Amino acid sequence: MHHEQYIQRCLELSLLGKGRVSPNPMVGAVLVFEGRIIGEGWHKEYGGPHAEVNCLASVKEEDKHLIPHSTMYVSLEPCAHYGKTPPCANRLVQEQVKEVIICNTDPNDKVDGKGINILKQAGIHVTTGILEAEGRWINRRFFSMQERKRPYVILKWAQSADGCIAPLDRSRYQLSTPHSQQLVHKWRTEEDAIMVGYTTALNDDPQLTARLWKGKNPLRIVVDKNLQIPTTHKLYDDEAETWVLNSSKSGREDNVEYVQLDFNENIIPQLLDKLYSADKQSLIVEGGAKLLESFISAGLWDEARVFATEAKLSNGIPAPKLQDGVLAEQTPVGSDVLHLYINKNNPYPFMPGYEL
Ligand code: AOF
Ligand code: ZN
């Protein structure tokens, strides 16, 4: 059906904003006149113009007179609020587009049906729900913040052919191949925050930046209850912001934020609350085994990206066991195989065919 083809294009365009628009959603728009695309646009960066505005701006001078006879396809309900930009719904009314076809409605309190009402009241025909599940999957991080009031949580680890995540002495040991490592750095540019546990930070001294890919570094988070990790460790360098979760200290020192939590209670829900308040819409957890398991046992994870590697450790620390995980996809990455597991309670079901 035509509608699906154009919304599909909107979704593809929206993905060009990946890693640049958070905490906003990724949004794409196309303008169609009698079976011809006369404009395309997407939300390119946080604070910048919305997809519909960029789409209208892309229409050639000689096609401008066609706008009132055209259909606007957009992957998210046009906004109704004065935010960083004026409301898109009003703009579409002003341009007198004939019809608006939408993938997802916008759960943001400031919009939430109001955009659609503005259009309908102006006599514009509106259709919603085209490729809705695909849109919810693509914008799962945004929807998680709006609907569940918590960031979307991704677990990531590599395991040996014999099911171990690290040597018994917990020393740093590279299991996955350079190809997988680069993919992991790409992922880092796409999530708002990245986290490791105390032992991993102390022993491996990871930097947790996206230095092998082009894009932004995520907020780094480390658990260090008693502030024992030397500040000469890389997590304290000035390449990115860092949150140090601890039991005694709060406040900011340069790029380091000391975040005091109650360690007598489970710290995972406390952290997710803090991330929500800070508008961080996703978290990728990169180990070690103990931290990953604490997310799993709390049921506070949404997807797990597990590299099955050819390396053998024979005697090592067993990889975490996912409860409630459903294997959704297996993809070769060099000589590793990436297994994607989705939590069966994840309200944003996996849709194949879109990059993660
Ligand atoms: C749209 N088209 O392309 C996007 C929308 O702060 P602002 O003004 O940029 O508004 C951000 C909110 O607007 C965001 O939370 C979401 O509800 C909506 N995003 N809406 O019509 C777009 N990016
Ligand atoms: Zn808008």
Side-chain angles (χ1 to χ4, degrees):
M1 193 172 134
H2 293 323
H3 285 349
E4 293 188 354
Q5 181 189 332
Y6 294 123
I7 289 292
Q8 176 62 36
R9 180 70 186 140
C10 292
L11 294 173
E12 281 166 15
L13 290 167
S14 77
L15 282 164
L16 298 171
K18 197 168 193 188
R20 297 166 168 273
V21 299
S22 168
N24 279 357
M26 295 177 272
V27 186
V30 301
L31 190 64
V32 178
F33 172 74
E34 292 185 352
R36 177 164 73 93
I37 294 182
I38 61 167
E40 283 193 341
W42 65 96
H43 187 40
K44 292 186 177 166
E45 59 194 333
Y46 178 71
H50 287 181
E52 303 89 319
V53 173
N54 284 334
C55 176
L56 288 163
S58 79
V59 177
K60 286 195 195 125
E61 207 48 50
E62 66 259 34
D63 285 336
K64 288 229 160 91
H65 68 285
L66 301 174
I67 294 176
H69 310 284
S70 300
T71 300
M72 172 69 80
Y73 289 84
V74 57
S75 62
L76 191 75
E77 173 182 359
C79 65
H81 65 291
Y82 287 86
K84 303 212 168 37
T85 61
C88 293
N90 296 16
R91 176 71 192 276
L92 296 178
V93 169
Q94 189 191 322
E95 300 281 349
Q96 297 180 297
V97 299
K98 204 174 79 185
E99 196 178 354
V100 178
I101 316 282
I102 297 164
C103 174
N104 298 119
T105 52
D106 186 349
N108 181 346
D109 290 343
K110 292 182 200 141
V111 187
D112 198 17
K114 296 183 196 76
I116 291 172
N117 281 342
I118 291 171
L119 297 170
K120 284 188 172 163
Q121 271 166 19
I124 297 174
H125 194 265
V126 181
T127 304
T128 58
I130 309 295
L131 300 185
E132 195 171 13
E134 285 80 353
R136 283 174 70 74
W137 168 250
I138 287 172
N139 271 318
R140 57 200 184 280
R141 301 161 181 84
F142 171 75
F143 287 116
S144 174
M145 292 291 271
Q146 299 293 331
E147 297 171 349
R148 301 190 296 183
K149 312 290 177 208
R150 75 149 168 91
Y152 189 85
V153 176
I154 298 166
L155 309 181
K156 176 256 145 185
W157 73 84
Q159 63 186 48
S160 64
D162 37 17
C164 297
I165 191 173
L168 266 193
D169 65 1
R170 295 185 150 86
S171 60
R172 185 174 185 132
Y173 189 90
Q174 196 59 53
L175 287 166
S176 59
T177 61
H179 195 145
S180 299
Q181 286 157 38
Q182 188 163 37
L183 179 57
V184 167
H185 281 226
K186 174 173 186 280
W187 291 345
R188 289 177 177 177
T189 67
E190 296 168 348
E191 309 307 336
D192 286 351
I194 183 170
M195 181 176 191
V196 291
Y198 171 73
T199 311
T200 303
L202 193 65
N203 292 353
D204 290 5
D205 190 13
Q207 194 180 26
L208 303 185
T209 55
R211 61 204 172 276
L212 303 178
W213 200 258
K214 194 159 165 28
K216 65 161 180 46
N217 287 323
L219 166 71
R220 304 177 290 192
I221 302 173
V222 60
V223 188
D224 187 5
K225 182 181 173 190
N226 299 313
L227 297 174
Q228 288 168 314
I229 297 170
T231 53
T232 47
H233 265 43
K234 295 195 193 80
L235 277 172
Y236 279 92
D237 71 18
D238 54 14
E239 291 295 311
E241 301 268 299
T242 300
W243 281 9
V244 180
L245 311 184
N246 73 95
S247 63
S248 58
K249 183 172 171 179
S250 57
R252 172 170 281 273
E253 289 173 20
D254 298 321
N255 60 324
V256 177
E257 178 95 31
Y258 291 92
V259 178
Q260 194 178 353
L261 299 180
D262 178 0
F263 279 73
N264 296 319
E265 301 283 337
N266 190 340
I267 62 163
I268 309 281
Q270 299 175 59
L271 168 65
L272 296 186
D273 279 349
K274 299 264 185 206
L275 287 169
Y276 175 74
S277 303
D279 253 351
K280 302 293 177 192
Q281 62 175 11
S282 62
L283 171 68
I284 185 160
V285 184
E286 292 207 12
K290 190 175 153 215
L291 184 66
L292 290 162
E293 264 150 17
S294 55
F295 277 88
I296 295 167
S297 60
L300 290 170
W301 67 282
D302 297 303
E303 70 188 63
R305 303 175 183 181
V306 180
F307 289 100
T309 73
E310 289 176 341
K312 288 222 169 66
L313 281 174
S314 56
N315 212 356
I317 300 181
K321 299 265 174 303
L322 285 172
Q323 295 155 18
D324 298 328
V326 178
L327 181 62
E329 204 174 51
Q330 294 185 55
T331 320
V333 183
S335 58
D336 300 333
V337 179
L338 171 62
H339 294 243
L340 174 70
Y341 295 91
I342 304 290
N343 190 323
K344 72 171 170 43
N345 301 316
N346 181 338
Y348 311 105
F350 171 66
M351 284 287 139
Y354 299 92
E355 64 169 59
L356 294 175

